[in-house]
Amino acid sequence: MKLPALPTEKSFRSPLHHPRVATVLGRWLAVAVVICFLTGLFSHFQQHTPLWLHIPSRPASLYRFTQGLHVLSGTVAVPLLLAKLWTVYPKLFNLKGLGLKDIAEKASILVLASALALELFIGYLNTLQWYPWPFPFKETHYALAWIIIGALLVHLAVKLPLIRAHWRRTAEVRPTSLPSATTGLTRRGLFRTVAGAASLVGISAIGQSVPAFGPVAVLAPRKPNVGPQGLPVNRTAHDAGVSGVAADWRFTISGPQKLSYSLDELRALPQSRSDLPIACVEGWSQGARWEGVRIRDLLQLCGAPASSRVRVVSMEKGGFYATSELPPEYAADPLTLLALRLNGGELALDHGFPARIIAPNRPGVLQTKWVHRLEVLS
Ligand SMILES: Nc1nc2c(c(=O)[nH]1)N[C@H]1C(S)=C(S)[C@@H](COP(=O)(O)O)O[C@H]1N2
Ligand SMILES: [Mo]
């Protein structure tokens, strides 16, 4: 019995598999990947700030913007990656007479494509707060990002001659001069379809940080204005094992002096107002009005300079979010509060009652809830 012959690259005659198409789609995908990488790097350094790095606390909504862009560019990259892979997949059948160099090149593309697919997949599942794998999300997501950027640079270097040749639309690749298409879709039609799919995906995801798009945000796991006091809750007090406060609850700050306040005493200190967003690493964000005591005022009361590094301790026991650190720039910022009130009412227990941190230009994970202690570190 004779087996049917495998197709070869030449069997795919559609002009949509042309290097010009791969170049155009590759350009779009590269823009999305680079935006996603840089905004991801910013988020990483926000959460793991080396001592030599000083991230400014302004603009106040910078992180809201960069992290919204991170999740948006990652989401939009999914249809772009699928289209790009479809355009070049006939090359998989181009296996005859491969030299070592070709095999190495194909292997590097395999690494790039699979790392990127995995990265986008686990990133999206993270926005759903779903972790169906045994490895730690954050570390894996970060390591894959570097693998992708490394493999992308190799890929661009190897393909540079092809990219150069097809960067501009030349006469030679105009549709009219190509062999007749085997599909009805023209190249321009494909570009429109892919751009349309990417826009549709983007519009249905962006509503998690831009409330105007909320009604069509079918891909957004969170609607920014749904939750107690008009703000989503990522982790409830119940999930964090916090059940409110006892009558003898006290807040302490330890610096040059050690001070302690009851909730009523905190309320009696000068109160300030900050309009600041919660911007979750998972992409949703929402602005809110916070009222409470400035951290710099508390520092002054205990005799510490306004530019001190401050450790924030929650009543939550254990867990990644039970403590956080305010770098000096953030502690000194007049917008940074030990917040007691939210959107005109007392903090809901799920939003961190009786007291929480709210600071400008910070990931939500660092806006520690249920705070009962501040420690001046320097
Ligand atoms: N103690 C503590 N603080 C916390 C968390 C937590 O789990 N425990 N979650 C953080 C995360 S991930 C976010 S996005 C914000 C959300 O604040 P909200 O629930 O008031 O909207 O709180 C942050 N503060
Ligand atoms: Mo978050």
Side-chain angles (χ1 to χ4, degrees), residues 82-221:
L82 292 175
K84 179 85 199 301
L85 290 177
W86 179 82
T87 294
V88 299
Y89 88 92
K91 297 206 173 301
L92 282 176
F93 298 96
N94 179 16
L95 293 170
K96 284 223 183 79
L98 288 187
L100 207 58
K101 220 179 103 202
D102 307 306
I103 293 173
E105 193 215 323
K106 282 200 188 302
S108 81
I109 293 177
L110 184 71
V111 169
L112 176 57
S114 47
L116 187 52
L118 183 62
E119 185 78 327
L120 297 176
F121 179 67
I122 67 174
Y124 184 66
L125 290 201
N126 177 254
T127 71
L128 306 176
Q129 295 192 303
W130 185 26
Y131 307 96
W133 46 69
F135 49 79
F137 168 76
K138 225 170 46 169
E139 287 76 1
T140 311
H141 201 61
Y142 185 60
L144 279 172
W146 283 106
I147 293 173
I148 290 163
I149 285 300
L152 180 61
L153 288 177
V154 172
H155 181 57
L156 291 177
V158 170
K159 297 290 188 195
L160 198 58
L162 258 185
I163 295 170
R164 274 216 179 116
H166 299 284
W167 188 258
R168 290 163 173 283
R169 187 144 51 107
T170 57
E172 167 215 359
V173 298
R174 282 224 173 90
T176 45
S177 63
L178 280 163
S180 63
T182 50
T183 92
L185 196 61
T186 63
R187 198 172 288 173
R188 177 169 295 176
L190 176 75
F191 293 154
R192 285 199 181 137
T193 306
V194 174
S199 310
L200 207 63
V201 163
I203 288 168
S204 40
I206 197 166
Q208 54 194 321
S209 35
V210 183
F213 286 94
V216 292
V218 289
L219 285 181

Side-chain angles (χ1 to χ4, degrees), residues 8-356:
T8 68
E9 194 184 348
K10 296 262 181 321
S11 328
F12 300 87
R13 290 172 43 90
S14 160
L16 304 183
H17 296 303
H18 193 278
R20 164 71 187 159
V21 180
T23 304
V24 172
L25 295 181
R27 234 149 52 185
W28 296 356
L29 182 58
V31 169
V33 166
V34 168
I35 291 176
C36 207
F37 177 72
L38 293 177
T39 50
L41 212 54
F42 181 60
S43 184
H44 174 85
F45 282 119
Q46 280 273 13
Q47 293 170 70
H48 306 273
T49 317
L51 283 176
W52 52 262
L53 182 67
H54 294 275
I55 299 180
S57 57
R58 305 291 179 96
S61 290
L62 180 62
Y63 187 81
R64 178 182 203 180
F65 176 76
T66 62
Q67 195 61 11
L69 205 55
H70 181 71
V71 172
L72 184 66
S73 55
T75 308
V76 165
V78 173
L80 298 181
L81 175 63
L82 292 175
K84 179 85 199 301
L85 290 177
W86 179 82
T87 294
V88 299
Y89 88 92
K91 297 206 173 301
L92 282 176
F93 298 96
N94 179 16
L95 293 170
K96 284 223 183 79
L98 288 187
L100 207 58
K101 220 179 103 202
D102 307 306
I103 293 173
E105 193 215 323
K106 282 200 188 302
S108 81
I109 293 177
L110 184 71
V111 169
L112 176 57
S114 47
L116 187 52
L118 183 62
E119 185 78 327
L120 297 176
F121 179 67
I122 67 174
Y124 184 66
L125 290 201
N126 177 254
T127 71
L128 306 176
Q129 295 192 303
W130 185 26
Y131 307 96
W133 46 69
F135 49 79
F137 168 76
K138 225 170 46 169
E139 287 76 1
T140 311
H141 201 61
Y142 185 60
L144 279 172
W146 283 106
I147 293 173
I148 290 163
I149 285 300
L152 180 61
L153 288 177
V154 172
H155 181 57
L156 291 177
V158 170
K159 297 290 188 195
L160 198 58
L162 258 185
I163 295 170
R164 274 216 179 116
H166 299 284
W167 188 258
R168 290 163 173 283
R169 187 144 51 107
T170 57
E172 167 215 359
V173 298
R174 282 224 173 90
T176 45
S177 63
L178 280 163
S180 63
T182 50
T183 92
L185 196 61
T186 63
R187 198 172 288 173
R188 177 169 295 176
L190 176 75
F191 293 154
R192 285 199 181 137
T193 306
V194 174
S199 310
L200 207 63
V201 163
I203 288 168
S204 40
I206 197 166
Q208 54 194 321
S209 35
V210 183
F213 286 94
V216 292
V218 289
L219 285 181
R222 303 301 174 108
K223 308 283 180 281
N225 48 5
V226 175
Q229 298 176 295
L231 191 70
V233 171
N234 228 36
R235 192 126 174 274
T236 62
H238 180 265
D239 289 346
V242 176
S243 54
V245 296
D248 61 349
W249 182 86
R250 293 193 80 77
F251 164 82
T252 59
I253 174 165
S254 53
Q257 294 177 60
K258 190 170 176 183
L259 303 176
S260 136
Y261 297 90
S262 70
L263 185 51
D264 281 334
E265 288 165 346
L266 279 178
R267 288 174 179 146
L269 291 173
Q271 306 287 303
S272 301
R273 208 181 78 191
S274 299
D275 289 310
L276 288 176
I278 291 279
C280 183
V281 293
E282 287 145 27
W284 65 265
S285 62
Q286 171 72 321
R289 168 156 303 173
W290 308 88
E291 291 159 90
V293 189
R294 282 184 178 146
I295 298 298
R296 56 185 294 165
D297 292 351
L298 287 166
L299 289 171
Q300 196 183 20
L301 284 169
C302 80
S307 291
S308 298
R309 181 172 293 277
V310 178
R311 202 169 103 92
V312 179
V313 185
S314 169
M315 296 187 279
E316 180 182 357
K317 295 278 168 288
F320 289 125
Y321 312 128
T323 65
S324 64
E325 250 180 47
L326 284 167
E329 292 82 351
Y330 286 78
D333 194 306
L335 286 180
T336 304
L337 303 182
L338 181 71
L340 308 175
R341 297 173 64 80
L342 161 58
N343 288 338
E346 190 162 80
L347 270 182
L349 182 59
D350 283 342
H351 285 308
F353 176 84
R356 78 173 300 165

